[in-house]
Amino acid sequence: MTDVFSAAVRRRNNAGMTFARMEALTWGVGGREGSRSSAWWNNMARYDMETPPSPKYFPGIAAVLQVSERRIAEMVAEQWYRVKPGDRLPCGLEPLVSAAETLDPEDVEQLTDMARHLLAIRRELRGLQDGEGHHDPRA
């Protein structure tokens, strides 16, 4: 069985966040009812939990793991129920999507425009590398 959720907790801990800090962060996000203890985080890191976290804890857990609440739900589904969503993002895009989810609609449009612009530049550079065109970048 995959331990994608527990692995994410271990990565966060290995990056320097203590289990006590994880507890404090979940308390700060969800208050007493939404917090998870340092012992809980430690057990999660060791995959010693038979029961997945309840959705009411997802906001605090998402803050600790620096991913979206949707990603928390996906990891829970994968680790405890062996269900992998078909539309899962590559790991490298998770921070971008998580940040984009908090943007105003106008900012999302600008982010989309920037991504399209970068893609157009990359395609143009590939074309130049393949000898398809003779474009003067100063023009």
Side-chain angles (χ1 to χ4, degrees):
M1 189 182 312
T2 182
D3 72 338
V4 64
F5 184 90
S6 294
V9 173
R10 286 191 300 274
R11 277 193 306 275
R12 195 71 174 112
N13 182 244
N14 291 338
M17 182 173 274
T18 65
F19 297 130
R21 179 71 185 115
M22 292 178 190
E23 177 181 1
L25 187 52
T26 59
W27 182 281
V29 171
R32 181 175 180 220
E33 293 300 314
S35 68
R36 301 279 61 196
S37 71
S38 59
W40 184 89
W41 286 103
N42 187 20
N43 287 332
M44 275 300 160
R46 292 184 288 124
Y47 195 8
D48 283 346
M49 302 293 281
E50 292 182 18
T51 306
S54 168
K56 75 177 184 177
Y57 300 113
F58 288 7
I61 294 169
V64 168
L65 299 182
Q66 296 181 325
V67 298
S68 67
E69 290 180 45
R70 176 189 169 107
R71 183 64 185 131
I72 297 300
E74 291 172 349
M75 289 190 293
V76 165
E78 186 172 342
Q79 182 161 321
W80 279 273
Y81 305 107
R82 293 181 240 161
V83 175
K84 292 183 180 184
D87 62 347
R88 194 160 115 187
L89 293 170
C91 292
L93 292 179
E94 291 174 5
L96 177 63
V97 171
S98 181
E101 288 176 331
T102 65
L103 295 175
D104 292 330
E106 301 82 15
D107 295 330
V108 172
E109 288 179 36
Q110 288 182 349
L111 183 61
T112 302
D113 290 343
M114 287 174 20
R116 287 184 180 133
H117 182 71
L118 288 171
L119 180 60
I121 290 171
R122 183 168 301 271
R123 285 180 178 155
E124 186 173 339
L125 289 174
R126 282 188 189 137
L128 290 174
Q129 289 171 348
D130 294 339
E132 290 179 8
H134 304 289
H135 175 73
D136 184 351
R138 296 171 287 167

